[in-house]
Amino acid sequence: MNLVFLGPPGSGKGTQAVRLAKNKGIVHLSTGDLLREAVKNGTELGKKADGYMKAGDLVPDSLIVGLIEDKIAAGDLKSGFILDGFPRTVPQAESLNEMLQKNEITLEKAVLIAVSDNEIVQRLSGRWFCPTCQVTYNYPANVPKNEGVCDHDGAKLVRRPDDEEKVVRNRLEVYKKQTQPIEDFYRNESILAEVKGEQTPDNVFKSILEVVG
Ligand code: AMP
């Protein structure tokens, strides 16, 4: 099963992608996670990506396409995958098609998790996570038992710097201008499957299972 997950920031695509990858025994590849790791480790890629990420802008296509190319060349995607956060622009989607064709891999579906703007700003500005175990909390829907600390290990909760409201609004704008055209790209290829993201996480997951089969 080879899939791309699409959706605005905060649509829950990361959470759902992890869950589906486990359920199907396939690889979950998040370019956001790879970039955050590169920033944390202070690699060349991380140094180049840091400023764009802090502002909520996209990292240049050339940096990202190379990352995915390396994963394909290493054979990491051979037994099925979910790409989460890639592609983010039409040129990235075109590059992905070329890379997959070269390696005789077929993309089966692009799963779009649709969520309204207001819901997204509310969700992201209330999103906190545990830096130790990575569990995510959301105010007001899913709050920790003790204000500001993780239920599992007592670590002090932190937020992603790009979840500040101003940056969230920019990320949404960027999504609309640069990423949303990909929906038509995959619609034209007849592989776009849309799922309603404003349901409980369990019901979103059920809807995803229905469309991916
Ligand atoms: P995410 O965790 O998917 O929300 O990604 C966090 C940030 O990483 C984005 O706001 C971008 O700055 C950068 N990023 C992640 N994936 C891509 C991509 N495919 N193209 C360009 N920038 C990306």
Side-chain angles (χ1 to χ4, degrees), residues 118-129:
N118 280 345
E119 172 77 13
I120 282 173
V121 173
Q122 212 179 13
R123 280 188 192 180
L124 290 188
S125 32
R127 179 163 81 173
W128 292 75
F129 73 97

Side-chain angles (χ1 to χ4, degrees), residues 9 18 54 77 83 100 121 135 146 154 156 161 177 192-193:
V18 168
K54 280 204 180 106
L77 305 187
L83 295 181
L100 293 178
V121 173
V135 161
N146 296 312
K156 194 167 181 290
K177 276 200 199 116
L192 188 79

